[in-house]
Amino acid sequence: MGSLASFNEPGNGFGNSFNPLDPEEFRRQGHMVVDFLADYYKNIEEYPVLSQVEPGYLAKRLPTAAPYVAEPVEAILRDVQQHIIPGITHWQSPNYFAYFPSSGSVAGFLGEMLSTGFNVVGFNWISSPAATELESIVVDWLGQMLDLPRDFLFSGNGGGVLQGTTCEAILCTVTAARDRMLLKVGRENIGKLVVYASDQTHSALAKAAKIAGIDPKNFRAIKTKRSAAFGLSPESLRHAISTDVKAGLIPLYLCATIGTTSTTAVDPLIPLCDVAKEYGMWVHVDAAYAGSACICPEFRHFIDGVEGADSFSLNAHKWFFTTLDCCCMWVKDPSSLIKSLSTNPEYLRNKASDSNQVVDYKDWQLTLSRRFRAMKLWLVLRSYGVANLRNFLRSHVKMAKRFEELVTNDGRFEVVVPRYFAMVCFRVSPSALPFRGDVDDETRANEFNRKLLETMNAAGRIYVTHAQVDEIYMIRFAIGASLTEDKHVLMAWKVVQETVDAMLDAL
């Protein structure tokens, strides 16, 4: 029976010297890919922002099986251009105004390249000391930029970690809160634990609570009101908690949001934390989108009261020019995470970990393996500096203010909720539409604005998404793509007006 090494398959020029990590071949192909991407960004405005393909399109274009022999990178990149790019929704397009931004940057891309190039698996300190120590340093840097209380930083008694996404951060903190509470009340009482948030809170919380074993009946999505800009009312929270306590339930966890997904609503941290503190609850502050803006002194007040929370997170891959994935999370008491999430099999034991003088990030997250995310955040912070980062964020807010003024100055439209950051929620108002006796004004307006959004997106010139809150259908116009300039915002407004004109003429 021959060995694997003695069995030679036909290749495509590699022969017996095939090396999947040949430095010179890496150099040659790497330059080609960088050039390809540079051309992509140079020409990105030529593509429809929203992909126009139909479901299943790619299976019709690609072979039904993997190639038996190697193919050159030139052929692969041709297929990327011809078959993959048509199926991409271009999140980095300057005409992308949907969801929240996933802003990129040269520094973020190069940091990702270094991280991927080193390809280390930094689950504990000894598996790659630089990966752990750089992460601890950059999360403290960013924490200082946010003016977080010292007890959230390694330089205090807390610390930070780079998770993949906010979904992971919330699950980690719910799990830590659960175990901390069950240590007090007994594990048999898990069915009594209750999680609280507003009805605007990201669905990640309900999912995390379910995964962590919280009874879905004990998840409280407290109703918010348009009159309060959809922020969570402390009085409503207190009422929900007191009702549960009277019923023999145990308040566990509150998630307060700074910049909700639907409308960028802001929950009032100071009074909410005061209520939660009375009941010994864990408070997590989810600032996934808006937290980045808080490095600017004029926006820092949105997280006033964070000193009363147990954990805080933001997504650097949203509005901080650091490529997906990079969620920054800080905790006051790392030991709560470690007690819930650590595993210590013999094969991972080492002197550094046993000394308790190092951070083993495997115990701060759900998975064992982890990427060298700190490299790209480090490059972003160093390449641009605090001053440039602040000014770039401010430029997006300034463009959003300009768009808001354009909406306000056209009597057919209304801004539905206050604009706090760089997203404007607007709609064609019911009063701008001709009367129809068969439906009420709000239903009529919702139908019109839904069709408006679909028509604009189908044209491919811009991409926007929607929210429906308090039975109002609104268009979310989120500015934050790195390539977006004033001219793109003005063009987008022109698209909105032209589409509305055509739709009204057709009624």
Side-chain angles (χ1 to χ4, degrees):
M1 185 176 184
S3 69
L4 182 64
S6 66
F7 184 75
N8 295 321
E9 289 276 12
N12 190 22
F14 290 113
N16 295 332
S17 61
F18 171 57
N19 178 358
L21 200 53
D22 175 78
E24 292 310 313
E25 192 60 23
F26 173 63
R27 189 189 313 278
R28 184 184 75 84
Q29 295 189 29
H31 280 296
M32 292 178 65
V33 171
V34 169
D35 285 343
F36 180 90
L37 287 172
D39 288 339
Y40 167 73
Y41 282 106
K42 184 177 181 180
N43 302 311
I44 195 168
E45 289 188 70
E46 296 178 6
Y47 303 113
V49 188
L50 178 64
S51 174
Q52 305 294 301
V53 301
E54 297 293 332
Y57 90 100
L58 195 55
K60 299 174 183 177
R61 297 189 179 200
L62 297 186
T64 57
Y68 186 67
V69 297
E71 297 184 68
V73 70
E74 293 85 351
I76 297 169
L77 288 178
R78 279 196 300 271
D79 280 353
V80 172
Q81 182 68 49
Q82 294 174 13
H83 305 311
I84 303 301
I85 285 183
I88 291 176
T89 290
H90 301 280
W91 284 65
Q92 304 307 315
S93 169
N95 300 313
Y96 180 96
F97 304 104
Y99 303 111
F100 280 134
S102 179
S103 57
S105 65
V106 171
F109 297 153
L110 295 180
E112 185 72 66
M113 188 183 296
L114 286 169
S115 172
T116 302
F118 290 134
N119 200 25
V120 301
V121 185
F123 44 77
N124 59 11
W125 179 87
I126 201 166
S127 67
S128 205
T132 294
E133 297 197 11
L134 185 62
E135 186 162 335
S136 300
I137 289 167
V138 296
V139 291
D140 262 19
W141 281 7
L142 185 52
Q144 291 163 12
M145 291 164 61
L146 291 161
D147 194 23
L148 290 182
R150 192 168 181 269
D151 50 4
F152 275 113
L153 309 180
F154 282 108
S155 54
N157 294 316
V161 56
L162 299 181
Q163 305 279 5
T165 66
T166 296
C167 301
E168 296 171 45
I170 289 176
L171 179 54
C172 287
T173 55
V174 169
T175 303
R178 177 201 66 190
D179 290 349
R180 187 177 73 175
M181 183 63 73
L182 292 179
L183 196 61
K184 298 177 184 178
V185 303
R187 299 198 71 85
E188 68 276 9
N189 287 307
I190 189 172
K192 297 180 180 180
L193 302 182
V194 187
V195 170
Y196 302 85
S198 88
D199 59 356
Q200 302 302 305
T201 301
H202 195 282
S203 59
L205 177 60
K207 184 174 182 178
K210 183 178 180 181
I211 294 171
I214 307 302
D215 190 328
K217 296 194 301 263
N218 291 350
F219 179 80
R220 304 286 180 260
I222 301 170
K223 185 170 177 55
T224 56
K225 298 178 181 179
R226 187 180 180 186
S227 60
F230 299 110
L232 176 58
S233 160
E235 293 76 20
S236 297
L237 174 65
R238 184 184 296 279
H239 175 73
I241 293 174
S242 61
T243 300
D244 285 333
V245 171
K246 289 175 183 177
L249 301 177
I250 302 170
L252 171 68
Y253 183 101
L254 167 67
C255 182
T257 306
I258 306 300
T260 59
T261 300
S262 294
T263 66
T264 67
V266 174
D267 291 337
L269 294 186
I270 294 174
L272 290 174
C273 288
D274 287 344
V275 173
K277 185 177 180 181
E278 295 176 24
Y279 296 92
M281 298 167 62
W282 184 294
V283 179
H284 178 73
V285 178
D286 171 14
Y289 159 69
S292 298
C294 295
I295 68 167
C296 301
E298 65 269 31
F299 297 116
R300 173 57 176 77
H301 67 91
F302 284 111
I303 59 171
D304 284 353
V306 70
E307 60 273 10
D310 296 273
S311 52
F312 174 87
S313 64
L314 68 82
N315 285 348
H317 59 248
K318 274 191 168 67
W319 197 18
F320 206 70
F321 320 110
T322 307
T323 54
L324 188 74
D325 54 6
C326 188
C327 172
C328 310
M329 185 183 90
W330 294 264
V331 290
K332 282 183 176 177
D333 180 16
S335 67
S336 294
L337 281 182
I338 294 168
K339 289 174 184 175
S340 291
L341 303 175
S342 65
T343 53
N344 295 291
E346 179 62 31
Y347 57 81
L348 293 182
R349 291 198 60 184
N350 61 87
K351 289 182 180 179
S353 296
D354 290 344
S355 73
N356 293 319
Q357 295 180 330
V358 298
V359 174
D360 285 342
Y361 274 124
K362 69 179 178 62
D363 301 329
W364 295 53
Q365 63 175 29
L366 300 174
T367 62
L368 172 65
S369 301
R370 64 197 324 271
R371 303 176 62 241
F372 196 171
R373 296 186 183 100
M375 180 62 71
K376 56 188 176 182
L377 184 56
W378 188 49
L379 259 71
V380 167
L381 294 175
R382 291 193 61 189
S383 297
Y384 304 128
V386 178
N388 279 328
L389 289 168
R390 284 175 175 168
N391 287 333
F392 208 38
L393 292 165
R394 286 169 177 148
S395 74
H396 289 155
V397 175
K398 185 177 179 180
M399 285 186 270
K401 286 182 179 179
R402 174 65 172 145
F403 187 84
E404 181 182 35
E405 290 170 358
L406 294 168
V407 172
T408 303
N409 291 336
D410 188 324
R412 300 173 299 176
F413 297 86
E414 64 175 326
V415 175
V416 182
V417 295
R419 180 205 52 76
Y420 294 128
F421 306 102
M423 188 175 83
V424 181
C425 294
F426 73 102
R427 68 170 179 167
V428 175
S429 63
S431 62
L433 303 176
F435 176 74
R436 274 178 54 190
D438 57 330
V439 293
D440 63 79
D441 289 349
E442 289 298 332
T443 300
R444 184 165 46 101
N446 285 350
E447 290 175 356
F448 187 91
N449 283 285
R450 184 178 293 108
K451 184 178 180 182
L452 169 61
L453 179 136
E454 292 172 355
T455 304
M456 291 190 298
N457 286 342
R461 295 173 66 190
I462 65 172
Y463 182 34
V464 288
T465 47
H466 77 284
Q468 187 158 347
V469 182
D470 205 19
E471 299 185 357
I472 297 173
Y473 186 99
M474 65 192 81
I475 296 171
R476 301 165 67 263
F477 189 83
I479 297 172
S482 302
L483 295 171
T484 300
E485 300 175 11
D486 286 322
K487 64 181 181 181
H488 301 107
V489 174
L490 295 175
M491 184 277 290
W493 176 239
K494 184 178 179 182
V495 169
V496 173
Q497 287 188 305
E498 290 176 350
T499 309
V500 169
D501 288 344
M503 288 174 60
L504 288 175
D505 288 344
L507 290 178

